[in-house]
Structure formats: C-alpha cells, structure tokens
Amino acid sequence: MNEMVEHNEEKVLKVCLLAGRIMMESGAETYRVEDTMTRIAAAYGITEAHSFVTPTGIIVSLQGVSPTQLVRISNRTTDLEKVARVNGISRRIAGGSLDMDEAFVLLKELESAQLFFSNWLQIAAAAIVSGSFLIMFKGIWTDFFPALLIGGVGYTSLLIIQHYTKVKFFAEFISALVIGLMAFQLVAIGVGEELDKIIIGSVMPLVPGLLITNAVRDLMVGHFVSGLSKGAEAFLTAFAIGAGVAVVFL
C-alpha cells in the first residue's frame, strides 16, 4: 500500500514539475506557475504541496513519502500559447477528466511541440510594428517605410545572432547597432528625415515588454526574488539596446 501511494505521489510530482517547467520556459509569471502546480497536486488528492519557483529553477515538495525535487530552467523564451495550453490541461485535471498518465502524455507532447510563428512571419510583424510605433510617436509618414525596413532587418539580425551565439544580450546589442547604422545611412542619403523617431520605432520589437510586466506582477504578489531577477534581466536587455544605439551616435 505504501509503495502504491509513493508511486502515485511520484507521478503527481512529475506532472507538476513538467507543467511548471513548460510555463516558466514559455514566459509565465512566477505566481501563476506556483498556483498551477498547487492546483494540479490538489486535484490528485495532495492538499499539502509546497513549491519555490525562480526564473532559473523550480523546487516542489509534496506531502507524504516523496522527496523534494528540483528542475533546472536553462532556456527562457516567450510562448504564451504554451502557457495557455498548460492552463487548459490543468483545468481539465481539476475537472477530473484527466488522470495522471494522460496528463503527463499531453504535457510531454506540448513540451516538444513547436508553436512559434515562422521566422518570416516574425520578421514581417516586427517590421510593421516598427513603422506603426514611429507613427505613434508622432513621426512623419515619409519615415514609415524606412522604419519598416530597418525594424525588419534589425529583428532578422537578432534571430540570426541568437541562433549562432545563444547569448541574448550580445544579440540585442548587435541588433541595436545595426538599426542605428542603417538609420544613419538612410537619413544621410535622404531616404529618411527624423533620425530619432526612426531609431525609436525600429528598436521597439527588441524591448523586453513581457519581462517588465512579469517583474512588476511578481513584485506585486510578493515574489521578490523572481521579481527582482526578472527586473534585472529586463534592465540588462534595455542597457544592451541603448548601448548599441549609443555606440553609433558616438
């Protein structure tokens, strides 16, 4: 009987850790990850579940004989579709329509799923966003297409450098540098007019908006470790972008 209980608790622990890891790697807030794991454990009959989540690791301890387990978070990106799907699976678990084995299989399939938009679609979206932000910041319409071109090229350089170097801050620095250089060149040959508006609009796809939002939300609910660490990551990202543009001006 004890072996059966221990086996069930081990399964619950695996489901909780897998769900939490997918959410953290996809850009979810810390408090949402902890709440989801607690609800999953409660749905499977474990009322005493404790978790400690940071941007780099998840520690979960369940009531009973199962030991505490740790999972490392090494890759973090933005994939809110996966966060939404994990929430959907947790709701089905809470509703009693999924047992532990079925939930684990669904989560493993979701973990390996590639839900990102294609690179070309991301580049096109970044280009349109760049031009739209230029207009929002009261730029002139003749600068719309230069900002659109520069924003697309800047985001392309970000994707390429991230693919080969795996160093996020370096990729953002080089991308901002490329954006600044292109803006200067286009203004110099008369294609663009307002240099500052073109650069501001073009770097907006690089701005860490989700990181800043998650940092504030985690701080508001009392997760100070995660909030401060995400805030520091957002600050470093903003610094890399600003440094890239500043080098061009210098």
Side-chain angles (χ1 to χ4, degrees), residues 6 26-27 31 38 55 58 69 73 106 108 113 120 133 138 142-145 151 153-154 158 166 176 180 182 226:
E6 184 177 354
S26 302
Y31 75 90
T38 301
I58 300 175
Q69 289 196 17
I73 307 296
L106 288 176
K108 290 296 289 184
W120 289 111
F133 269 109
K138 299 182 180 180
T142 53
D143 287 338
F144 178 84
F145 288 104
V153 173
L158 176 73
K166 308 297 182 183
M182 285 193 64
S226 296

Side-chain angles (χ1 to χ4, degrees), residues 231-244:
E233 185 177 355
F235 172 79
L236 290 174
T237 300
F239 177 78
I241 295 171

Side-chain angles (χ1 to χ4, degrees), residues 16-17 20-22 24 33 37 51-54 56-60 69-73:
C16 290
L17 284 171
R21 181 159 60 85
I22 293 173
M24 281 303 298
V33 176
M37 293 191 296
S51 60
F52 181 71
V53 178
T54 70
T56 56
I58 300 175
I59 302 173
V60 179
Q69 289 196 17
L70 164 71
V71 63
R72 178 81 175 174
I73 307 296

Side-chain angles (χ1 to χ4, degrees), residues 48 50 59 68 120 161 167 171 180 201 212 218 237:
E48 291 293 333
H50 303 281
I59 302 173
T68 299
W120 289 111
I161 297 169
V167 181
I212 296 171
D218 283 339
T237 300

